[in-house]
Amino acid sequence: MLINQSVYISMRFFLSIHVGALLRIIGAGSAGAVVGGRLSENPDFEVLVLEAGGDETGITVIPAFSNYFIGTEQDWNYTTESSTKYCLGSENMNFRDYEENCCLKFINNLQECPYARGRILGGTSSINGMFYTRGNKRDYDGWANDGNYGWSFEDVLPYFKKSEDNRNATYAKNKRYHSTEGELTVSDLRWKTPMANIFLNAGRELVFTDIQFTMRDGFRCSTNKAFLVPAGERENLDIAKHSHVTKVLIDPSTNRAYGVRFFRYGKYHDVLARKEVILSAGVFNSPQLLMLSGVGPKDHLKDMGIRLIKDLPVGFNLQDHQGFGMKFTTDRPPSAFISELQESLLSNMTFELFQKGTIIELHK
Ligand SMILES: Cc1cc2nc3c(=O)[nH]c(=O)nc-3n(C[C@H](O)[C@H](O)[C@H](O)COP(=O)(O)OP(=O)(O)OC[C@H]3O[C@@H](n4cnc5c(N)ncnc54)[C@H](O)[C@@H]3O)c2cc1C
């Protein structure tokens, strides 16, 4: 289905590319896919989504492999700066250099961490851990109190519900917070190791609870699958894969974005937007694109030889959470069973197995 869709999209893209769509969206990631899907629900909008990556693959949709995409073609292959203060646990497993112009390879002792970002339809939602979590109510209320109209928890809750297709019967009944009508399917795990339940029970006293995942019928439900695939046949939506945007075109006299420049199959193209350019290229690439387009800190742009359009503190205040794993030796088989299963699947998988087996539902 995805292959058919991609051929169809490419043809439509070439037919429409010179016309000038009303709206250009840069990046078909977690945010961009939703925006592209939603805006194209309105037939009055003509939407072009430009995405640097390609289709989801037969492997990215399998939850059990969600940890395997760092350093692959589906990842932008970023790393942190080398440091003696962080990534200390990464000794002997650092990345540097590119293999066959594509992917990172391991080199020892550089004290860097891989910093994964999806380069694929669905963006990082196509390679992430699929945990379905909403932010803390007080975060949203804090943003609203800082003057961001429309961002309080009560303001954003209807949009969480609008997108949600929750397959847990208990949550589904809780209409105040959940919905079953949306595009993004959210499911419980159907299978867990006995160890998982033991850990969870230990944490219940601290109000730990089961977590849900963006999965549908045992497969990953990325924002591409949820929002773009169903919209793929709309006449007013074009999705251009393998289209790397290198600049937002901004009129310096009005400071208004009027188009984008992108690189596709060896050629640069300029396309115009009759109404808006929407930048949803992720936490690293959105600020990078703004700076490449002349919007950013004056001194840095000068150092890089980029003509300044607007001196703004772009690229600061990155916030992220730590991620680390802990390993324990057990005297029972369940944990080992999972990793052995993953390893053997990587070398022996067959399409039939995925279609028929329960293996597609395994995760973590
Ligand atoms: C390994 C990992 C695991 C994670 N696990 C979870 C989890 O379990 N649960 C959770 O809630 N969050 C998780 N996250 C975080 C979550 O996935 C991200 O916060 C979210 O996907 C970011 O969405 P976004 O739309 O901002 O960017 P992205 O989803 O990264 O989308 C950006 C898109 O823009 C495209 N793009 C970028 N630059 C250009 C360009 N120049 N031209 C054209 N296209 C471009 C990219 O290819 C990409 O498709 C995880 C993140 C990582 C890295």
Side-chain angles (χ1 to χ4, degrees):
M1 185 177 174
L2 278 172
I3 292 169
N4 290 341
Q5 187 208 23
S6 69
V7 173
Y8 175 66
I9 285 168
S10 303
M11 287 170 59
R12 288 178 58 202
F13 168 70
F14 281 115
L15 290 175
S16 69
I17 196 72
H18 300 296
V19 179
L22 211 53
L23 299 152
R24 308 266 180 228
I25 299 172
I26 305 169
S30 297
V34 183
V35 175
R38 287 271 182 251
L39 287 174
S40 60
E41 285 170 8
N42 182 339
D44 293 338
F45 291 150
E46 229 177 86
V47 181
L48 171 65
V49 179
L50 295 160
E51 167 55 46
D55 283 317
E56 292 185 80
T57 71
I59 299 189
T60 56
V61 298
I62 297 176
F65 296 145
S66 66
N67 290 331
Y68 285 88
F69 306 112
I70 298 176
T72 67
E73 215 175 329
Q74 286 82 35
D75 176 13
W76 281 86
N77 289 304
Y78 293 132
T79 62
T80 61
E81 292 288 318
S82 181
S83 168
T84 53
K85 296 191 177 142
Y86 50 79
C87 299
L88 303 182
S90 299
E91 199 176 3
N92 300 325
M93 57 161 289
N94 294 298
F95 298 100
R96 178 57 70 83
D97 289 343
Y98 292 83
E99 272 176 349
E100 295 166 9
N101 296 323
C102 156
C103 307
L104 293 166
K105 68 180 178 191
F106 288 102
I107 289 200
N108 290 343
N109 299 326
L110 286 174
Q111 219 76 51
E112 296 172 345
C113 283
Y115 219 160
R117 292 285 114 188
R119 184 187 178 122
I120 180 173
L121 284 175
T124 311
S125 82
S126 295
I127 65 161
N128 72 10
M130 295 173 294
F131 291 78
Y132 179 74
T133 48
R134 296 176 186 171
N136 189 294
K137 178 181 187 300
R138 281 172 291 188
D139 285 338
Y140 300 103
D141 291 343
W143 297 342
N145 289 337
D146 287 343
N148 297 296
Y149 175 77
W151 280 95
S152 74
F153 182 73
E154 287 303 326
D155 288 329
V156 298
L157 181 58
Y159 295 98
F160 279 123
K161 286 164 61 180
K162 185 175 180 181
S163 288
E164 184 183 5
D165 164 30
N166 204 310
R167 301 278 170 102
N168 174 304
T170 308
Y171 289 133
K173 278 189 215 144
N174 184 349
K175 304 279 183 216
R176 160 96 174 102
Y177 292 106
H178 295 285
S179 163
T180 54
E181 310 287 319
E183 297 84 351
L184 185 70
T185 305
V186 179
S187 311
D188 297 331
L189 288 183
R190 299 189 207 176
W191 189 90
K192 278 182 279 184
T193 67
M195 291 296 282
N197 285 327
I198 293 167
F199 275 114
L200 194 58
N201 286 337
R204 278 195 207 282
E205 289 176 18
L206 298 169
V207 295
F208 287 11
T209 179
D210 273 303
I211 198 156
Q212 291 193 289
F213 293 85
T214 44
M215 294 199 309
R216 183 185 297 163
D217 301 328
F219 287 100
R220 177 188 293 275
C221 185
S222 67
T223 55
N224 175 51
K225 183 175 190 171
F227 293 92
L228 288 184
V229 172
E233 306 226 342
R234 284 183 197 146
E235 286 295 316
N236 62 335
L237 173 67
D238 287 302
I239 304 164
K241 297 174 294 179
H242 307 294
S243 302
H244 187 157
V245 176
T246 55
K247 191 173 186 178
V248 180
L249 305 173
I250 302 173
D251 181 344
S253 62
T254 59
N255 281 356
R256 192 179 160 78
Y258 62 89
V260 296
R261 177 166 303 157
F262 67 96
F263 187 76
R264 191 175 202 247
Y265 301 141
K267 281 190 185 159
Y268 284 94
H269 306 264
D270 284 358
V271 284
L272 307 182
R274 279 185 275 134
K275 194 169 170 61
E276 273 184 32
V277 174
I278 297 169
L279 187 50
S280 51
V283 71
F284 301 144
N285 291 20
S286 289
Q288 182 209 25
L289 263 174
L290 280 175
M291 288 189 263
L292 288 172
S293 312
V295 180
K298 184 172 63 178
D299 293 341
H300 182 53
L301 266 53
K302 192 175 169 200
D303 289 347
M304 294 291 129
I306 297 169
R307 185 178 165 208
L308 182 74
I309 289 189
K310 185 84 179 169
D311 179 19
L312 284 174
V314 172
F316 293 93
N317 295 325
L318 174 72
Q319 296 186 24
D320 204 346
H321 63 85
Q322 298 284 351
F324 61 93
M326 289 189 286
K327 290 192 176 175
F328 300 92
T329 306
T330 65
D331 54 4
R332 295 194 198 167
S335 306
F337 166 70
I338 290 295
S339 57
E340 279 164 18
L341 198 54
Q342 287 177 336
E343 296 304 330
S344 74
L345 269 171
L346 274 175
S347 49
N348 297 314
M349 62 188 143
T350 64
F351 182 74
E352 285 75 16
L353 178 62
F354 297 138
Q355 289 297 295
K356 292 174 190 161
T358 54
I359 205 73
I360 53 173
E361 291 153 16
L362 295 180
H363 180 61
K364 310 278 171 196

